[in-house]
Structures are given as structure tokens and as C-alpha cells.
Amino acid sequence: AASLSGCDLNLFLTTSSSDRIDNSPSAKYNKAQIHSCPRPLEFRHEHALASVVRLETGMTSFHASETSISRLPAPSPNRSFSGRSPDVRREAGVVRTLTRPPPSVVLPRDGEQLQQKQQLGQSSAKSARGASRIWRPTSPGHWHDDLRPFLGHSNDRVDAPSDAAPIVICPGFGNSRGDYEAPGGHPELGIVMQLRSRGFRVEVMDIQRGDWAKVLRSLLTREYWARACTPEPAYGWFLASLKSAVDAARLTYDCDQVTLLAHSAGGWLARAFLASEKHFDASEAHAASTTHNRAVRGLVTLGTPHVAAPPSARDMTGGALTWVNRHYPDAHFRDAGVSYACIAGCAVRGNGRAPRRSLARYSYSAYSQVCGSGHLVEGDAVVPNRSAFLKGAENVILDGVHHSPGRLSEAVSPSARPWYGSDAVLDAWAHHLL
């Protein structure tokens, strides 16, 4: 099931509660029913999401568009992904996708997207870069005090093959290298050790917390207050550090390409890095055929705000994110061979009426700063779901997953708030690194 309250998408798939199923003669589906919100089922945020969501059950696949909900052929009960079986499991009325969808159902290319746009009554397909789908490998639990629990997932453990591209981790705003290697001095809790235990070769950008103070220099410019900044010069130091990390990983592991794993603001900065000619290899910098940094084979973002703040909210990037979206929108280099995956947690529902020190109230403020509204908006406690996806990317929602680890006292206890890098969560999305 998919649910994105506060966005222009709000689908609920019910399989176990008969009192909510329409069994009238006019109903076509007596095993599952989709209730849609009165607004069109299309994300209407600049460079954000696509208009198509595909929900799969063990019996029927549904294709939801702005104009209709049509029944598609049911998938074969014996079909498996990459030799794993089966691809969908039904347990206690819950439908859970087990593994990454096969290439045959990944994102349609421009021709199919054009047809979809025509069906939706859209006259222009110039910006079409392939439809996006939102995959939900986790089991969505019920909201309780604006919090959604993490109930696990059904994906197999991800073990990287020996020839998998090395991973370079791009820290989020205010984070340091140590937050990913040994948070609180505990390496076993770091995402680096979790990935290495699965066979991935991992490096982290050499950034310290104090380095982010360099961004403050942009506050002294007219461009910042006019929302006219570019990634340079405020974030030039970050792009240079990322270039050094990519070069070091390629040299250490004797390979041509790496995969960028970017957390939070590191995600949109990694998109800027992909297009920055200043950071291309010297041998390719002046080649007419070079459109992006060919040292990068893929980008996976974790809780990244890909959509710029609206005029009603303060743009903390000073227009730099808007600049990236204007020049390199969506999964811009996908057709050039770069893979994109955007992972978003759905753990906290913003509530402007919640107690002042509650997580729901904090999230209300955070979401309002990112997307302009926060009340009843869902996200990972920092970034709302509506801002975390790219059109043309493989977009994934993880229920009950938070933006970052909780306090260390929580991280070492069974009641820890899981985040993207937690051992229990990692296999729900790590296949996108391959």
C-alpha cells in the first residue's frame, strides 16, 4: 500500500478488512479496493515526482493515473526476481514486495512516458524522462501519536559481488565523517561497517562538522538573499572534497567508477557534482561528448530534499538547489547511463498542535522549512516525502525509518529509532547500490 498524506498522492490498499471493501455488483475488485483522494493522483511539485504509481498484490496489479484506475494482468505466482521467489508475499492481509523489480517493469522510456502524458491530458512531453514509481518494501503500520513503527521488510540480505563498484558516502548538512564510521564512538553502529559486512567497499568523504561553517560565507552575498546562489562558491569546498574522495576510491580499488551514497543535503550536492565540469577528469574535461562526471555510475540518496523550498518558506540553500533543479532536473543523466534511486523514510507525521518538545512538533517545523507546510505531512522527521524523490529515479518509501540515528542511549537499546543505515533497514534498499 502507498500513503503520502499532504501530497497529491493518497492511495490506500486494503486486503483484510471486509467492511471496507465494496462488494456491490458495480465493483470490479472484491479482493482489494483503492480509495483515492479527490485531487488528481499526480505530484505537482517542481522536479519532484511522476504521475504514475504501480501497486502490486498477489492477485492483481493496479496502475493508478490522474484519470483512471485500470486493472492490469496479474503477475505470475511463480515469478521471481533474480532467482528469488516469490516477488510478492501475502501475510496477515499485508502485501509486501520482496526484492527489486525486474528490468521488465522498471521505468518506461520516453516513448511510453509520452503516451502516458497524452492519456493524462498533458500537451507537452519535453521534460519527460521516464515515469517514476514508488516502491514500498516495508509493512506500513498504524500511526500512533503521529509516529509510525518500523515493522521490518521482506527483502533478502544483500551481499555485494566482488566486482561491485566502490561506494563513496556524501555526508549530510552538519554531519561529519565520524557520523557514518563510528557514531558516538561505536563503529558497530555505523553504516560503513554495516555495508562492509555485506561485502561493499566503502569510503567516506573527509569532512568534519566545522567545515560546514564555510557555507556561512554565502550569507554575506546579495545572491543568497535573492535566492540566486549557485553551488559555487558556498559549496565549492564540498564538491572539491567529493572529487578527492572519488579519486581516492578509484585509486585504492583500481576501478573506473564509483557509486555515490548521499545522505540528506549531500544528495542534491552530489547531483551538482555530477554536472560540474570543474571536477571532471582532466582527460575528459574538454571532450565535447562529456556531459557528466563519468567516474560516477550511480547515485543513491537517503532522505534528500530534492525540491527547493517554495517562496513562502526560507530557502536555506539561497537558491543553489533551485539552480541545480533548473539546469539538471530530475534523474538528468539517467539516459547517459547513471542510475538514480531516492530512498525516503515515512516515520513521523508533522503536527503543529502536538506538545512543543515532541518529535511530531519538531517535524512540523522541519517540514515547513523544507516544503512550506508541515501539518499532517509525512516524512522521516526532517525531510517530507513529497520533497525526497526525483522524476525518473527509482523511488522507495521505508515505513518507520528516520532521517538519522537517535541519541546514542537509544541506538544501543532494542527500542532504537531505526534510520537508513540501521542493520535492520539496510537490506530494504541496498540492492540499489549494485
Side-chain angles (χ1 to χ4, degrees), residues 283-307:
S283 60
E284 300 178 350
H286 303 291
S289 60
T290 301
T291 60
H292 67 284
N293 196 316
R294 294 181 179 177
V296 178
R297 64 167 294 277
L299 171 63
V300 177
T301 66
L302 307 175
T304 290
H306 286 296
V307 184

Side-chain angles (χ1 to χ4, degrees), residues 52-56 61-64 72-73 105 133-135:
V52 180
V53 174
R54 184 177 183 185
L55 305 178
E56 291 194 356
S61 294
F62 292 89
H63 183 280
L72 301 178
V105 297
R133 290 168 183 155
I134 299 176
W135 303 98

Side-chain angles (χ1 to χ4, degrees), residues 30-31 36 206 281 339 405:
N30 59 1
K31 293 295 183 181
S36 62
D206 190 12
D281 281 347
S339 63

Side-chain angles (χ1 to χ4, degrees), residues 28 41 58 137 145 159 255 257 299 325 351 364 433:
K28 292 184 179 180
L41 301 178
D145 291 335
D159 291 309
C255 62
Q257 292 184 307
L299 171 63
N325 285 338
N351 188 343
Y364 164 78
L433 296 169

Side-chain angles (χ1 to χ4, degrees), residues 207-416:
I207 288 181
Q208 302 306 315
R209 215 175 303 280
D211 290 336
W212 291 98
K214 300 174 184 177
V215 176
L216 297 177
R217 70 182 67 172
S218 65
L219 298 177
L220 304 177
T221 65
R222 293 180 180 179
E223 288 79 8
Y224 178 86
W225 300 103
R227 295 191 174 206
C229 283
T230 67
E232 299 274 2
Y235 299 96
W237 62 273
F238 183 97
L239 303 182
S241 178
L242 179 51
K243 166 66 173 173
S244 298
V246 169
D247 289 346
R250 294 171 65 194
L251 181 62
T252 300
Y253 300 111
D254 189 23
C255 62
D256 294 328
Q257 292 184 307
V258 302
T259 297
L260 300 183
L261 175 58
H263 178 224
S264 196
W268 69 263
L269 286 169
R271 290 169 57 204
F273 173 79
L274 273 170
S276 175
E277 295 183 13
K278 181 179 179 180
H279 301 99
F280 288 176
D281 281 347
S283 60
E284 300 178 350
H286 303 291
S289 60
T290 301
T291 60
H292 67 284
N293 196 316
R294 294 181 179 177
V296 178
R297 64 167 294 277
L299 171 63
V300 177
T301 66
L302 307 175
T304 290
H306 286 296
V307 184
S312 60
R314 181 181 176 184
D315 184 356
M316 302 302 293
T317 72
L321 176 53
T322 299
W323 186 91
V324 172
N325 285 338
R326 182 184 303 120
H327 291 85
Y328 310 105
D330 312 325
H332 192 73
F333 297 111
R334 194 192 73 173
D335 291 341
V338 179
S339 63
Y340 289 79
C342 302
I343 318 300
C346 185
V348 186
R349 185 169 55 193
N351 188 343
R353 303 185 184 94
R356 190 171 297 273
R357 296 178 64 90
S358 67
L359 187 57
R361 183 66 174 269
Y362 169 84
S363 299
Y364 164 78
S365 299
Y367 299 159
S368 298
Q369 190 174 66
V370 174
C371 69
S373 61
H375 190 61
L376 301 183
V377 174
E378 298 174 6
D380 64 5
V382 175
V383 176
N385 292 157
R386 64 171 69 177
S387 300
F389 301 123
L390 289 173
K391 184 177 178 180
E394 294 188 45
N395 299 309
V396 180
I397 287 182
L398 302 178
D399 295 286
V401 175
H402 294 250
H403 187 79
S404 56
R407 297 187 302 272
L408 184 61
S409 58
E410 295 175 330
V412 297
S413 71
S415 60

